[in-house]
Amino acid sequence: MKVTEASQAYSFSRRALLMGGGQAAIALVLAGRMTWLSVFENERYKLLAESNRVNLTLSPPRRGWIVDRSGQPLANNRTDFRVDLIPDRLEKREETLAALQQILALTPEDMARINTDLKRAAGFQPVQVKESLDWERYATVLVRLPEFPGVQATQGFTRNYPLGAGVGHLIGYVGAASAEQYKETKDPLMVTPGFKLGKDGLEKTLEERLRGKPGAKRVEVTARGKLVRELARREDVPGHNVRLTIDAGLQEYCARRLADNSGSIVVLDCLTGDVLSMVSMPAYDPNSFSDGITQSEWKMLAENDHVPLMNKVLQGLYPPGSTVKPMHALAVLRAGISPNATVHCGGALQVGNRAFHCHSRRGHGAVNMERAVAQSCDIYFYVMARELGYDHFAKTVREMGLGARYDLPYPSQRYGTVPDSAWKLKKYKQPWTIADSVNASIGQGYVLANPLQLAVMAARLAQGRAIVPRLLLDQPHEPAPSLGIDPQHIQTVRQCMWAVINGGGTGGRARLPIPGVEIAGKTGTAQVRAITAAERRSGVLGNASLPFKLRDHALFVCFAPWDNPRYAASIVLEHHGHVNPLTDVAPTARDVMTFLFDRQKAITTLHELEKGWGGTYAERMARDARAFEAARAAARAAPPPPVPEDAAEAASDVVSEAANASVPVGDVATRNEERAE
């Protein structure tokens, strides 16, 4: 009995000791945890508490300017009057929104967007009501601010393009970040009211240089997000300016001189490769995209058969037509054939069971190289291509810049085709034929080029050097190396191109009205439709009788002064068909080159011409917009399509479809009728 009591006492004592030890251990763990939280984790929780109390609000940075070679702004920043809402200060929400709708002329779409943003926004985060306000509306809100708690009227900066559509494809535009861009970066700047980033062109590819660093404001808020006070402010850091090789005056002149054509003009400095002008028209006004394009504007652009959303300089591919003949003549010289060797042109050349016609049905008779280029005789080049094979021509064509990729800061370019026997075998698994050589010899068939490449070709023929185009004036110029071509051959080709303009050739209307300055060049025509046998029997329709999309392209390449070349240019007019002598390629080239040597004379001529085609491009665009809106108001059959969230992506789809559709079918070599050169 005593043993049992002793055993129980021992067991009780043991349990008591174990419990005490466990409590001590727990106490020790708790003490350690408290020490860890209060000492080692103090900074972390202090920061978390601070983040609950303090919020950071960003302000968009001012973008760097884009300027021309002399410092003239092509893209700058203008004062932007805007109205925002601060949700946690907003009282009488419905009454306030109704008043703002009336004062600012807000559309139902605007109101729906504002209400959605208010639901999603934090209490301290501004919600955009309207930006790019005129002074009168802004001032009206400003004087009534005491009536509208939670309404904030501010002055900021927004992107401005002084030349409007004249630099649309050159510069690009900015716009609000898309939902996808925010999800990808998680950058809070992307959802900051007023922030815009590059969406196309240079604005997109040079985004890092142009953006700058945002400003910031630290504010104290309650647990519910209510604003208490502003704690600190940091000013934004503007982005870096970018200087281009472009001449702003020439850029605007070219855009205006293109009149109502769908086309492009590229002007290069033959000595440096500087791109002095790069114009694609018609174009969009980047100010409209940056300010927020309307449904009607988007519909008008997307449905325009002149495709104003396409940068035709870099994305348009065209058969170069007879503009290739000077460099083909160079290839003939390099094969050891004398420029005095003659070919008889009777109007057609029989190859197998197929007749290849000259653009002159009567033929040119005996032609040597200079006359063949000046009169654009097809038969001369048919014969040379048949004898030499186009593989021999292709080498020179590539050296002149066709098919090449140039390092320019643009997100989308197309590079064309310089075909040869190896290319065709690889692409089509078919051997090269004499017919292929004959077609390619006059810039048809498989040959495709963009307008920039054609301008490079003209510059290289002018100088005999490997001119490479450049657009950014951010590094010293290095002279282009020689192409290694016999200077006498280059001089012979230049003489041939001089004869095109000044020796009774096909480009006489391009002759310059400047004493002592002569231009050399080459005309070209490229067919875009197949001509059926039935049409040939009944008579091939002329361009003036065809709808716009079925007319031939008109092309021109040139340089001046011909004997000491400084400037080179290419002009491509889509579906012009040489139907209007005032807006055709040759007189357009004449006026553009005149501007480079006598600006006042060129501007005087332009002012007279613009009276006949409805004013400047800005005036015509405004008139077209009014007419489009009036027609839509009269019809009201269907609402316009909504503006896509990412207009750049939607525009890319439109451009891709149009670019693919622009590649022609058929070839000019099979035509029976005379072709204007």
Side-chain angles (χ1 to χ4, degrees), residues 356-380:
F356 288 83
H357 297 268
C358 186
H359 73 88
S360 173
R361 298 172 66 180
R362 294 181 297 273
H364 293 97
V367 292
N368 61 8
M369 180 176 288
E370 181 174 318
R371 187 158 183 256
V373 174
Q375 297 297 323
S376 202
C377 176
D378 294 332
I379 302 299
Y380 178 91

Side-chain angles (χ1 to χ4, degrees), residues 97-317:
L97 289 178
L100 291 177
Q101 182 177 19
Q102 182 179 9
I103 296 171
L104 303 179
L106 300 176
T107 65
E109 292 81 5
D110 291 331
M111 298 303 295
R113 191 261 309 161
I114 292 169
N115 281 306
T116 298
D117 290 349
L118 283 172
K119 292 176 182 177
R120 296 174 178 173
F124 61 90
Q125 182 182 12
V127 169
Q128 175 183 309
V129 176
K130 192 78 171 177
E131 63 180 349
S132 300
L133 293 171
D134 57 63
W135 169 251
E136 288 73 15
R137 294 185 190 276
Y138 175 76
T140 301
V141 174
L142 199 62
V143 298
R144 295 183 62 182
L145 282 181
E147 304 174 32
F148 304 139
V151 175
Q152 178 176 274
T154 58
Q155 295 185 33
F157 295 92
T158 191
R159 206 57 161 164
N160 179 57
Y161 305 92
L163 297 184
V167 295
H169 292 295
L170 172 69
I171 303 298
Y173 65 94
V174 297
S178 66
E180 288 72 20
Q181 287 172 315
Y182 174 68
K183 290 176 183 177
E184 180 181 347
T185 63
K186 299 299 182 182
D187 185 347
L189 182 60
M190 295 286 180
V191 292
T192 300
F195 172 71
K196 305 284 179 66
L197 76 166
K199 290 285 190 174
D200 194 22
L202 298 180
E203 292 279 28
K204 180 177 182 178
T205 56
L206 302 179
E207 174 67 22
E208 291 186 4
R209 295 172 61 175
L210 294 168
R211 180 183 294 186
K213 297 181 180 179
K217 180 173 64 175
R218 294 175 68 240
V219 294
E220 184 178 357
V221 296
T222 66
R224 295 180 177 273
K226 184 174 179 59
L227 181 65
V228 177
R229 57 176 174 151
E230 181 178 317
L231 300 175
R233 181 185 293 269
R234 183 189 71 212
E235 297 299 326
D236 69 294
V237 178
H240 296 288
N241 293 343
V242 173
R243 188 178 174 205
L244 305 183
T245 60
I246 294 294
D247 180 324
L250 178 63
Q251 179 78 11
E252 182 183 20
Y253 185 87
C254 290
R256 291 170 62 178
R257 186 57 183 84
L258 278 170
D260 58 354
N261 283 307
S262 175
S264 62
I265 298 177
V266 180
V267 182
L268 301 180
D269 186 319
C270 288
L271 301 181
T272 64
D274 288 357
V275 180
L276 301 178
S277 174
M278 193 172 78
V279 175
S280 173
M281 295 297 281
Y284 59 84
D285 185 348
N287 291 301
S288 295
F289 274 78
S290 299
D291 293 340
I293 191 168
T294 66
Q295 291 178 315
S296 293
E297 287 175 305
W298 175 258
K299 181 178 176 65
M300 185 171 65
L301 289 171
E303 295 181 354
N304 190 329
D305 64 357
H306 285 34
V307 199
L309 294 171
M310 174 189 281
N311 182 347
K312 298 173 177 65
V313 173
L314 299 176
Q315 296 172 307
L317 291 180

Side-chain angles (χ1 to χ4, degrees), residues 321-322 324-325 328 378 381-382 438-444 668-669:
S322 294
V324 301
K325 290 176 179 176
H328 286 174
D378 294 332
F381 292 96
Y382 292 161
V438 169
N439 270 334
S441 73
I442 60 166
Q444 292 282 168
V668 78

Side-chain angles (χ1 to χ4, degrees), residues 333-585:
L333 291 171
R334 298 175 78 184
I337 298 176
S338 169
N340 297 318
T342 62
V343 169
H344 179 76
C345 172
L349 176 71
Q350 194 72 27
V351 177
N353 60 358
R354 181 177 175 184
F356 288 83
H357 297 268
C358 186
H359 73 88
S360 173
R361 298 172 66 180
R362 294 181 297 273
H364 293 97
V367 292
N368 61 8
M369 180 176 288
E370 181 174 318
R371 187 158 183 256
V373 174
Q375 297 297 323
S376 202
C377 176
D378 294 332
I379 302 299
Y380 178 91
F381 292 96
Y382 292 161
V383 171
M384 293 300 174
R386 183 185 62 182
E387 298 302 318
L388 297 174
Y390 197 75
D391 282 10
H392 175 78
F393 284 62
K395 178 178 181 295
T396 297
V397 172
R398 294 190 184 98
E399 289 178 345
M400 291 299 108
L402 269 65
R405 301 187 178 197
Y406 299 111
D407 186 19
L408 295 179
Y410 289 92
S412 178
Q413 300 182 49
R414 304 174 82 210
Y415 305 103
T417 304
V418 178
D420 58 20
S421 57
W423 172 87
K424 185 180 180 184
L425 189 62
K426 180 180 179 180
K427 185 173 180 64
Y428 294 107
K429 305 297 187 290
Q430 296 176 357
W432 190 265
T433 67
I434 294 177
D436 292 330
S437 292
V438 169
N439 270 334
S441 73
I442 60 166
Q444 292 282 168
Y446 299 117
V447 185
L448 292 172
N450 69 38
L452 176 65
Q453 293 168 342
L454 295 178
V456 171
M457 174 189 73
R460 291 186 177 186
L461 287 172
Q463 286 290 331
R465 294 183 176 275
I467 304 300
V468 176
R470 68 167 184 165
L471 192 62
L472 302 179
L473 276 176
D474 56 0
Q475 56 188 1
H477 166 67
E478 296 182 2
S482 171
L483 286 166
I485 298 174
D486 187 338
Q488 185 56 50
H489 291 168
I490 294 292
Q491 179 58 29
T492 299
V493 172
R494 283 166 48 179
Q495 177 68 38
C496 292
M497 296 177 73
W498 175 90
V500 171
I501 313 298
N502 308 284
T506 57
R509 286 183 296 162
R511 189 176 295 118
L512 296 183
I514 302 175
V517 181
E518 293 180 322
I519 182 177
K522 184 68 191 80
T523 53
T525 302
Q527 182 181 314
V528 300
R529 69 188 184 102
I531 299 176
T532 65
E535 183 181 350
R536 291 187 183 282
R537 288 192 296 269
S538 62
V540 177
L541 294 173
N543 280 292
S545 302
L546 294 171
F548 171 74
K549 282 290 188 180
L550 297 182
R551 296 175 185 168
D552 298 339
H553 297 319
L555 306 95
F556 196 87
V557 296
C558 60
F559 53 81
W562 89 274
D563 53 349
N564 186 22
R566 178 61 192 273
Y567 305 110
S570 73
I571 301 170
V572 178
L573 303 182
E574 291 184 338
H575 309 294
H576 185 277
H578 308 288
V579 297
N580 185 337
L582 293 179
T583 63
D584 205 355
V585 284

Side-chain angles (χ1 to χ4, degrees), residues 14-72:
R14 188 171 180 271
R15 285 198 302 270
L17 287 172
L18 289 173
M19 291 179 61
Q23 290 175 343
I26 293 173
L28 184 61
V29 169
L30 291 175
R33 181 62 176 165
M34 291 177 64
T35 302
W36 173 261
L37 293 175
S38 61
V39 178
F40 299 103
E41 289 283 86
N42 177 63
E43 187 63 26
R44 177 190 173 204
Y45 285 101
K46 181 179 179 181
L47 291 174
L48 288 174
E50 178 73 4
S51 68
N52 287 331
R53 186 181 69 87
V54 177
N55 278 289
L56 191 69
T57 301
L58 299 178
S59 59
R62 287 163 287 175
R63 292 180 72 81
W65 287 21
I66 301 176
V67 300
D68 82 338
R69 62 191 304 110
S70 61
Q72 292 296 313

